[in-house]
Amino acid sequence: ALQASIGSGVEEALKAMEKAVILEPKQPLYHHNYATLLCSFTKDASNYYKISSNRVILKALKQYDIAMVLDPDNFEYAADRAEAFLDMSPFIYKDALKAWNTALKISSTQDERDWVNLQITIAHYKARRWSRASATLKKMSGEHHQPLMDQIQKAVITKIKTEKSKP
């Protein structure tokens, strides 16, 4: 739906996911999928539930938390939970870092570790912590996500130069 820009059917999907987590509350995949639906269609969910976008994300975080309790070593659940913090406004830097560090602890491949470090870099960037962003990029292997690494590194360098040139 996201790739095809299809927005119809979200209300039905939300109803179906609500029902799924009620019928099978111990199924972590259902909680994860419900949370991902909420985060993927925040505006639609906001309209459906008549709550703010931030409250939709908080609702999603609760579902991710349940999924993580039921399957604590699932990297995808931890990473998706951490990504939800990037959509909060205002950005909750410390909570985002904590969530990404949880994902890092359960990562099992270099690709996963690189993804986490890339996302931690983005969190530092959003928080205007340029030197931390640059340092975190250096933790990456360079095997994965090279175009994104290069793009962020250029943006960080530009921000550092801009701040140094201010009186």
Side-chain angles (χ1 to χ4, degrees), residues 49 52 58 61 94 121 125 144 148 161:
Y49 291 112
S52 70
L58 291 172
L61 286 169
K94 288 182 181 181
T121 300
Y125 188 89
H144 310 280
L148 287 172
K161 286 179 182 177

Side-chain angles (χ1 to χ4, degrees), residues 12-102:
E12 291 83 4
L14 288 167
K15 287 177 185 176
M17 291 312 306
E18 287 173 340
K19 190 172 184 176
V21 298
I22 289 169
L23 292 174
E24 291 290 337
K26 294 187 189 235
Q27 175 52 259
L29 179 63
Y30 295 170
H31 292 282
H32 172 261
N33 288 350
Y34 184 25
T36 301
L37 179 66
L38 290 166
C39 288
S40 298
F41 295 96
T42 306
K43 186 175 180 181
D44 295 297
S46 179
N47 292 334
Y48 176 72
Y49 291 112
K50 309 272 188 270
I51 59 177
S52 70
S53 294
N54 269 358
R55 298 259 329 244
V56 170
I57 295 168
L58 291 172
K59 186 176 187 69
L61 286 169
K62 287 180 185 176
Q63 293 299 314
Y64 283 132
D65 288 343
I66 295 168
M68 290 293 302
V69 166
L70 295 169
D71 191 357
D73 296 323
N74 189 307
F75 174 79
E76 183 179 355
Y77 296 176
D80 286 349
R81 181 183 181 278
E83 280 189 43
F85 285 99
L86 296 174
D87 294 328
M88 293 290 292
S89 181
F91 177 55
I92 308 169
Y93 177 65
K94 288 182 181 181
D95 289 349
L97 286 183
K98 183 178 177 184
W100 280 115
N101 282 313
T102 297

